[in-house]
Amino acid sequence: MEALAALTLAVLVTCGVYLVLRARTFPVVLGLSLLSYAVNLFLFFTGRLVTGAPPLAGGALPTADPLPQALVLTAIVIGFGMTAFVVILALRARGELGNDHVDGKGDGQ
Amino acid sequence: MNLLFIVLLPLLGALLPPLAIRFGRSASAWTATAITAAALLLAVEPMAAVFAGTPAEAHWPWLPQAGLDIHLRMDGLAALFVLLILGIGLLVILYARYYLSERDPMGRFYGMLLLFMGAMLGIALSDHLLQLLVFWELTSLSSFLLISYWHHRSDARRGARMALAITGAGGLAMLAGFLLLGHIVGSYQISVILDSGDLIRAHPLYAPMLLLVLMGAFTKSAQFPFHFWLPHAMAAPTPVSAYLHSATMVKAGVFLLARLYPALSGTELWFFVVGGVGLATLLVAAYTALFKHDLKGLLAYSTISHLGLITLLFGIGTPLAAVAGVFHIINHAIFKASLFMAAGIIDHETGTRDMRLINGMWKYMPHTATLAMVAAASMAGVPLLNGFLSKEMFFAETLHLAPLGSFNWALPAAATLAGIFAVAYSARFIHDVFFNGEPIDLPKYPPHEPPRYMKVPVEILVALCLLVGILPALTVAPLLAVAAGAVLNGPLPEYSLAIWHGFNTPFVMSLIALAGGIALYTQRQKLFDFHDHVFPFPDARAMFWVAIERLMDAAQAATRALENGSLQRYAALLLLAAVAAVAWPFLDSAAPLAGPVPAAPIDALTLLGALVMMAAAVVTTVWQRQRLTAVIALSVVGLVVSLAFVRWSAPDLALTQLSVEVVTIVLLLLALYFLPQRAAADSSNLRRGRDLLLALGVGGGVGLITWAMLTRPYTTIANYFVENSLPGGGGANVVNVILVDFRGFDTMGEITVLAIAAIGIFALLDNLRLDMPATDGGGRPWSSERHPVVLSQLTRFLLPLALLVSVYLFLRGHNAPGGGFIAGLVTAVALILQYMASGIEWTRQRWQVQYHPMLAAGVLIAAATGLGSWLFDRPFLTSAFGHFHLPLAGEFELATAMLFDLGVYLTVVGVVMLILANLGKLTQRSAGEGGA
């Protein structure tokens, strides 16, 4: 199971990094989203893979680690804020510069 | 307490003279005088204690865990410097009042002078190495400002830059040396370091530490070969030179030598480096001074030479030599400050500083001439003046040096030679300026005596020269005794401050110096010719500028090579660096990658989920140019991520991820409307291959690290949270209690960041003009049915249900999966559905809510909840909760954390809606325009 989790993360990160390195804004946004998924999952996995024990206090049994979960919860929401910011930045760049190249260079240049 | 105010008074008072200048130049000068005088008054009490034998100390804890506290201490040496800084400071303030012209901004001058004064006092009084360094750098900065005071002059700007570059570089070296020293001793407190001399000298790091610290001291005190900045700093107004370049700033270097003398001296290395550099400086500068035609240039090199003398005295390392060093610090400050002031008067009255032009001033300003001649005689070491006393002590100390062996004649010979040159340049100063015929082509003619009060500071200093020179035992003796005692950190050697010690070797050396110097001066013309033609001395200034230019060129070349404006390239370099930095320690380590924890079995469902996720990620990447397809594939990845959260016991995360996924996809679809929906391939195969390799490197690295982490044993720091969640936070959902209670402050920061991002997005959307495509990527026109009836009817029906669910999620959040974040997202999704299904106008008519105030209210409610706990004398964001019983409703719980969560809820709704509704408005405008 651990190897599978690691492999999944590796694929997500590889795809994310490859997209981040593209020359157009939209794939960069997609890549950043993939990277945030991967990072959130990685943080979540630091609490290890616990089945069927949500972190609710009061029970007798040990539960999953609540700390990474709390970190990841805010990270997801902040990640949305970041994605939104980058998307709007890309739109603004297109509006100002007339193209969607990450360096703002027109297609002819 | 007084000690702190001595330092703070000038530092804070620096703001006042620039304000007081509105009431006239005198008001500004009086303000500066009053501040300095007040600091001097404050210094009286601790000084009295120092003279009584007990150093004054003060200590304020700041970060005691890191050994960073404010330590101030006034011992004899510090008292001497405080006296010099404040005393000469007062005289300089008076002098500058008449020196600066109407055009010069006087308030700024006094402000910077006070800033410098405070920094200098900080150096003198610091009992902590790092604190001393802060003040040290502050003197470099404020002296930069003072040297470039006439910033319209390019020589002033260049001189200031050079001084800052040299002393700043020295300061950096000194920081490294201080860190080593602190590491050796285990404390940065100077009084502790002074008692650890043996430990320091025996330490293997002694040599590098000493050299680094000395770099700082030598650059500051303009020691050879770093001396060349000082003559160029003469572009400063003369009061600055009189203050910084005679009595204070350049003395900071020798002050440091004296301060750390008990800890660092007493080794061969110290003797040869400090003594050698001091001797070289003494000779080179004394020789050079003779050939300077610029009045202040001569004084600058003479200052360098005298600083070399003081350094040499500390380098010699005998207790008597240290006493002589301290004594010469005092004497040099007194006579050199007065000489600079006299030079300033001459410059002021004649309009030039060129000694080939200024001749015969005796006729025009006899009073000033007398004062300057006495001070210059003191510089030359003429008997009955203070300079003579310390120079005699210096000559005496050069005579008995064991470490030089059979070369022990060399040092007295060199000292006498330097003495000859000192007499010669002093003679030149006197003869060239005040006699030697008539002045030639003076810019201001005829010169006359300066204003009365401009001479007062010179008179006071010259009177001191005479008093100390004639009655040393009655005047300077107690001060010298406490200061030298502090330098030696032990008993004082036997010495006598008498004028006449009999006809002994030092006296003979003095006589040789006097006679030789005058003889040399009479033969100066031959010497000048020799100097001009035979002796092409390497010009350190030119070398410095060449070095600076090369450095700038190299920096620009490096910048151009790295920074070509391509984001792709930056990202690639950054990622490459990250891979290298992470891989490096793994390559070195022998530990196996996999840990000892046995692998858990894989079940079919999880395997399926993982395969779907990987496939969707690959599809997103491969079909990234079919952008709609890519977005759909991306949403699949997001959905599987939320399933993964369900699979591994994180219901809160699953709910959050699910709702964020919805708003993200809506956002991306909206954005896609304005962006090309298909893109042509515009990367070369080479670039794609390179990027793929890099991506595989990063991805593989993350995978390996994840695997290494998951197969290692697991310890948690979360037990505290689990155990205290119910009793301490009143909630069973530990994740939520962490967010709103234990780590509420973090959450508070996070919602603030969210709010800032939303406002930034709002600003970016403001006035944004975008081309609206009339058709989709395939050339098909958009559907004419903008708001499908089924969708709009269904969403209207769904809205109250969705809101109900979000209220439910919010209320139960403290004890079961849910909470402000999730409830806020669900609410936002429900609202967005209305916008999408029924149109913005329709929704706005029925739902008149502004999202900015909602956002602000959210952050403010959260902050107010936190502040509320102050009313009950609890720390920020302490939560309280209680169980209440209501008839019919039964037992229920209320916690202040829920109020905080309400703030989170409002912020999240506000952020999401502000972003999406405003982005949506853009499409509406285009639709309106396009449809019309």
Side-chain angles (χ1 to χ4, degrees):
Chain A
M1 191 69 94
E2 282 77 8
L4 183 65
L7 180 67
T8 314
L9 284 193
V11 171
L12 284 188
V13 171
T14 306
C15 294
V17 167
Y18 181 78
L19 285 175
V20 163
L21 291 171
R22 295 304 88 208
R24 302 284 157 180
T25 51
F26 197 73
V28 172
V29 173
L30 295 180
L32 284 175
S33 300
L34 280 179
L35 280 180
S36 3
Y37 292 143
V39 170
N40 288 342
L41 278 176
F42 178 80
L43 283 180
F44 175 59
F45 286 164
T46 57
R48 298 303 189 272
L49 311 172
V50 180
T51 310
L56 298 175
L61 295 170
T63 65
D65 196 332
L67 204 54
Q69 296 197 15
L71 290 174
V72 171
L73 199 152
T74 49
I76 294 171
V77 182
I78 294 261
F80 166 72
M82 183 204 69
T83 309
F85 194 87
V86 176
V87 165
I88 308 294
L89 196 63
L91 289 185
R92 181 90 206 189
R94 175 124 205 260
E96 300 284 328
L97 305 166
N99 65 73
D100 69 336
H101 196 282
V102 286
D103 301 333
K105 290 188 292 197
D107 296 321
Q109 291 164 29
Chain B
M1 205 61 193
N2 275 1
L3 290 183
L4 188 66
F5 283 118
I6 295 172
V7 179
L8 283 185
L9 209 56
L11 281 182
L12 299 178
L15 296 169
L16 294 180
L19 297 175
I21 195 73
R22 290 181 203 174
F23 305 102
R25 289 152 62 83
S26 293
S28 186
W30 275 117
T31 313
T33 310
I35 291 165
T36 314
L40 197 56
L41 272 182
L42 283 175
V44 167
E45 188 201 321
M47 267 186 209
V50 170
F51 280 100
T54 46
E57 288 189 45
H59 169 236
W60 286 269
W62 178 49
L63 288 177
Q65 298 86 349
L68 294 176
D69 290 343
I70 295 173
H71 286 278
L72 294 173
R73 184 166 188 268
M74 188 195 272
D75 60 1
L77 183 66
L80 166 65
F81 268 81
V82 168
L83 209 55
L84 283 178
I85 295 161
L86 291 172
I88 297 186
L90 273 178
L91 300 179
V92 167
I93 290 169
L94 174 61
Y95 179 80
R97 164 67 186 83
Y98 295 95
Y99 179 86
L100 295 177
S101 74
E102 295 285 336
R103 293 187 307 276
D104 299 323
M106 190 179 264
R108 191 156 62 87
F109 178 84
Y110 283 128
M112 294 186 310
L113 196 76
L114 286 179
L115 181 67
F116 172 81
M117 184 187 283
M120 209 51 220
L121 289 168
I123 292 183
L125 291 174
S126 283
D127 193 27
H128 189 285
L129 282 180
L130 299 180
Q131 183 193 329
L132 187 148
L133 188 92
V134 171
F135 287 117
W136 183 277
E137 299 294 7
L138 198 55
T139 61
S140 291
L141 289 176
S142 50
S143 82
F144 170 79
L145 294 174
L146 281 167
I147 295 170
S148 60
Y149 174 69
W150 284 322
H151 48 71
H152 52 275
R153 285 172 36 180
S154 73
D155 63 330
R157 294 196 304 269
R158 284 167 78 89
R161 265 169 61 199
M162 190 190 273
L164 185 67
I166 303 278
T167 55
L172 280 181
M174 201 171 84
L175 171 61
F178 279 176
L179 292 178
L180 284 180
L181 184 54
H183 169 74
I184 291 172
V185 179
S187 164
Y188 286 106
Q189 209 184 328
I190 294 174
S191 41
V192 177
I193 289 168
L194 295 189
D195 293 328
S196 321
D198 294 331
L199 172 75
I200 295 167
R201 283 183 286 268
H203 200 277
L205 285 173
Y206 171 74
M209 180 274 299
L210 179 68
L211 294 177
L212 286 167
V213 172
L214 289 179
M215 280 286 280
F218 289 166
T219 50
K220 199 80 161 181
S221 276
Q223 296 296 296
F224 183 82
F226 310 112
H227 62 288
F228 55 90
W229 68 264
L230 185 58
H232 296 283
M234 289 298 132
T238 302
V240 173
S241 308
Y243 194 41
L244 270 64
H245 305 137
S246 70
T248 50
M249 170 147 129
V250 292
K251 290 283 167 61
V254 286
F255 169 79
L256 194 76
L257 292 182
R259 178 83 290 169
L260 297 176
Y261 182 83
L264 304 184
S265 71
T267 60
E268 290 239 312
L269 187 67
W270 169 277
F271 175 78
F272 282 108
V273 173
V274 179
V277 168
L279 182 64
T281 313
L282 171 68
L283 285 173
V284 169
Y287 170 80
T288 316
L290 184 57
F291 301 102
K292 288 287 149 189
H293 302 304
D294 175 12
L295 204 54
K296 277 175 81 180
L298 185 151
L299 292 180
Y301 274 101
S302 136
T303 300
I304 297 172
S305 160
H306 281 273
L307 290 167
L309 192 158
I310 297 167
T311 306
L312 172 58
L313 278 169
F314 285 120
I316 287 173
T318 57
L320 261 176
V323 174
V326 176
F327 194 20
H328 203 64
I329 289 177
I330 305 174
N331 292 333
H332 176 253
I334 294 172
F335 69 67
K336 193 50 71 59
S338 60
L339 278 172
F340 268 116
M341 289 180 186
I345 290 175
I346 293 163
D347 179 14
H348 198 253
E349 300 305 324
T350 63
T352 178
R353 301 194 316 229
D354 192 330
M355 279 187 284
R356 287 166 298 190
L357 307 181
I358 313 168
N359 299 316
M361 284 301 123
W362 173 257
K363 268 198 297 196
Y364 301 96
M365 39 175 89
H367 189 178
T368 309
T370 315
L371 295 173
M373 277 151 57
V374 174
S378 174
M379 171 163 79
V382 172
L384 293 185
L385 294 166
N386 60 350
F388 170 73
L389 296 177
S390 42
K391 200 161 250 187
E392 282 263 293
M393 287 170 93
F394 164 58
F395 285 155
E397 279 316 298
T398 58
L399 289 174
H400 323 284
L401 279 178
L404 287 177
S406 58
F407 285 97
N408 60 3
W409 55 269
L411 199 54
T416 315
L417 187 65
I420 290 173
F421 274 104
V423 172
Y425 66 65
S426 303
R428 181 170 184 213
F429 183 89
I430 294 173
H431 181 254
D432 244 6
V433 173
F434 298 110
F435 304 103
N436 203 19
E438 279 295 306
I440 307 161
D441 293 337
L442 288 186
K444 289 184 188 172
Y445 189 85
H448 51 76
E449 288 282 350
R452 179 73 199 89
Y453 287 104
M454 203 166 167
K455 280 183 293 187
V456 168
V458 193
E459 286 163 358
I460 294 174
L461 289 168
V462 168
L464 280 174
C465 284
L466 285 163
L467 274 175
V468 172
I470 297 169
L471 299 168
L474 295 179
T475 49
V476 79
L479 184 61
L480 179 61
V482 289
V487 171
L488 293 172
N489 199 24
L492 278 176
E494 285 284 323
Y495 63 90
S496 111
L497 285 179
I499 306 165
W500 178 247
H501 287 114
F503 197 81
N504 50 14
T505 324
F507 187 69
V508 173
M509 288 162 77
S510 282
L511 285 183
I512 295 173
L514 276 174
I518 289 165
L520 191 66
Y521 178 67
T522 57
Q523 300 302 310
R524 64 190 179 283
Q525 207 49 52
K526 285 176 199 160
L527 208 64
F528 282 13
D529 294 342
F530 165 77
H531 178 75
D532 287 347
H533 297 115
V534 187
F535 204 45
F537 211 67
D539 186 359
R541 178 185 63 143
M543 277 155 52
F544 174 80
W545 287 118
V546 168
I548 290 281
E549 252 166 51
R550 292 226 176 106
L551 192 67
M552 294 302 249
D553 287 348
Q556 273 164 6
T559 309
R560 273 195 301 271
L562 287 172
E563 197 165 312
N564 63 349
S566 161
L567 182 71
Q568 287 171 284
R569 181 172 183 166
Y570 301 160
L573 286 176
L574 194 70
L575 288 164
L576 199 64
V579 171
V582 173
W584 187 259
F586 282 99
L587 294 180
D588 254 6
S589 124
L593 194 60
V597 174
I602 301 177
D603 59 291
L605 216 54
T606 314
L607 179 65
L608 182 67
L611 289 177
V612 168
M613 191 194 278
M614 288 188 268
V618 171
V619 166
T620 311
T621 310
V622 173
W623 284 347
Q624 45 113 347
R625 282 189 293 278
Q626 315 289 325
R627 292 183 169 173
L628 193 60
T629 318
V631 171
I632 293 169
L634 184 75
S635 70
V636 173
V637 180
L639 287 178
V640 183
V641 169
S642 53
L643 285 178
F645 290 141
V646 175
R647 167 73 181 78
W648 286 301
S649 321
D652 288 277
L653 293 190
L655 284 169
T656 315
Q657 180 68 49
L658 199 60
S659 34
V660 162
E661 203 48 45
V662 174
V663 288
T664 307
I665 297 303
V666 171
L667 174 82
L668 289 179
L669 288 175
L670 267 175
L672 205 50
Y673 176 66
F674 297 103
L675 290 170
Q677 278 136 43
R678 282 160 200 272
D682 56 358
S683 296
S684 65
N685 281 334
L686 182 70
R687 159 158 270 168
R688 265 182 260 164
R690 189 200 73 182
D691 291 350
L692 189 63
L693 267 182
L694 187 55
L696 282 170
V698 180
V702 169
L704 288 176
I705 289 174
T706 312
W707 188 50
M709 172 190 77
L710 287 176
T711 49
R712 273 174 170 70
Y714 167 65
T715 53
T716 177
I717 56 168
N719 289 333
Y720 170 85
F721 299 121
V722 178
E723 281 157 18
N724 288 284
S725 179
L726 266 177
N733 182 1
V734 188
V735 175
N736 183 266
V737 175
I738 290 176
L739 285 176
V740 299
D741 192 338
F742 293 128
R743 309 295 306 167
F745 201 50
D746 295 356
T747 311
M748 166 107 206
E750 273 146 5
I751 58 173
T752 313
V753 170
L754 267 184
I756 292 170
I759 291 167
I761 288 168
F762 183 72
L764 281 174
L765 285 172
D766 190 39
N767 274 329
L768 178 59
R769 297 263 152 205
L770 284 168
D771 291 334
M772 305 297 163
T775 60
D776 75 349
R780 292 176 291 262
W782 302 112
S783 161
S784 60
E785 193 189 10
R786 251 196 259 144
H787 307 301
V789 176
V790 177
L791 182 61
S792 57
Q793 293 307 318
L794 204 63
T795 50
R796 278 170 218 179
F797 182 65
L798 269 174
L799 180 67
L801 276 178
L803 291 180
L804 203 63
V805 168
S806 78
V807 170
Y808 172 67
L809 283 174
F810 176 79
L811 286 178
R812 74 172 204 162
H814 217 44
N815 286 305
F821 276 111
I822 298 164
L825 287 164
V826 171
T827 306
V829 169
L831 289 174
I832 288 163
L833 263 180
Q834 302 308 307
Y835 282 93
M836 278 172 30
S838 307
I840 289 175
E841 269 314 306
W842 185 91
T843 317
R844 199 190 286 159
Q845 280 161 14
R846 286 157 185 80
W847 169 248
Q848 291 162 346
V849 171
Q850 291 288 318
Y851 297 116
H852 300 86
M854 186 188 271
L855 194 69
V859 177
L860 286 177
I861 287 175
T865 314
L867 292 176
S869 46
W870 282 356
L871 293 178
F872 303 94
D873 280 336
R874 295 295 176 83
F876 188 69
L877 273 174
T878 311
S879 79
F881 63 93
H883 293 267
F884 302 90
H885 189 78
L886 269 188
L888 296 177
E891 185 90 6
F892 75 107
E893 182 200 340
L894 274 181
T896 58
M898 287 185 79
L899 204 57
F900 183 82
D901 220 10
L902 180 67
V904 173
Y905 169 83
L906 288 176
T907 313
V908 170
V909 176
V911 166
V912 176
M913 295 313 296
L914 190 68
I915 296 169
L916 291 178
N918 279 297
L919 185 56
K921 266 190 216 160
L922 288 179
T923 66
Q924 183 210 17
R925 196 187 62 225
S926 74
E929 286 164 2

